[in-house]
Amino acid sequence: MSDAVTGVEVTTADPGEVDTVADQWVELARSQREHGSHLRPETNRVRVRERFARYSARDELLVARPSASGADIVGFVSFRVRSNRYETDCKRGLVENLYVVPDWRNQEVGSELLAAAERRLHERGVDVVSLEAMASNASARQFYRRHGYEPHRVEFEKRLER
């Protein structure tokens, strides 16, 4: 299934593209360290690659590539329907990762990836989509607000002295 957009094509990731997406996730995780993320990018690459392989098999991993060339992947989004332990009044979807390579940012690639993930989640009966952004990542928070996302929960953190 393809979601055609201006300048990029968004499609389900093929199993052979999972390594590229895992490499891009490492770049995403590395960039989030400056915003206070505790993830260790390289250490988690194998685990993330395995997770993305499962997401690809379930049609929950989308990639963007330039329409003209169809070559390199310039971004990705992973998402899933949330499974709740408790009964809720809505079916929730979760956008877990959204990444666009730096040279392709501010060209609507992220917007197209997010919109494609939202369409796929809607097709699966999702009523509400949630996602997370680092509190100090003002550009990510602004991006998501521009796309209609509002804070729902706030996570607090405190470092304990040893």
Side-chain angles (χ1 to χ4, degrees), residues 113-161:
L113 284 163
L114 183 60
E118 290 171 347
R119 281 192 298 275
R120 303 286 175 96
L121 288 165
H122 185 263
E123 291 167 3
R124 294 171 186 187
V126 165
D127 303 303
V128 175
V129 178
S130 62
L131 49 80
E132 293 180 358
M134 298 302 295
S136 71
N137 190 340
S139 62
R141 289 192 339 267
Q142 182 181 29
F143 172 82
Y144 292 122
R145 280 185 181 273
R146 212 171 53 242
H147 289 86
Y149 288 81
E150 295 293 331
H152 175 69
R153 297 181 88 161
V154 178
E155 178 177 302
F156 290 87
E157 180 175 279
K158 176 183 176 181
R159 184 165 297 274
L160 299 176
E161 300 301 320

Side-chain angles (χ1 to χ4, degrees), residues 1-75:
M1 177 183 257
S2 171
D3 294 302
V5 295
T6 307
V8 295
E9 180 181 22
V10 176
T11 60
T12 301
D14 294 330
E17 297 173 318
V18 170
D19 283 315
T20 300
V21 174
D23 290 340
Q24 289 185 354
W25 180 89
V26 168
E27 291 304 315
L28 170 64
R30 189 178 292 134
S31 70
Q32 293 305 300
R33 300 279 295 176
E34 72 185 63
H35 298 290
S37 173
H38 303 299
L39 287 174
R40 297 185 187 274
E42 292 79 8
T43 306
N44 286 300
R45 187 194 184 283
V46 171
R47 181 174 289 150
V48 164
R49 192 226 176 272
E50 292 168 358
R51 185 174 186 123
F52 285 156
R54 289 190 304 273
Y55 277 31
S56 174
R58 293 189 314 246
D59 192 27
E60 297 174 337
L61 179 63
L62 304 177
V63 294
R65 56 176 63 77
S67 297
S69 68
D72 295 336
I73 294 171
V74 298

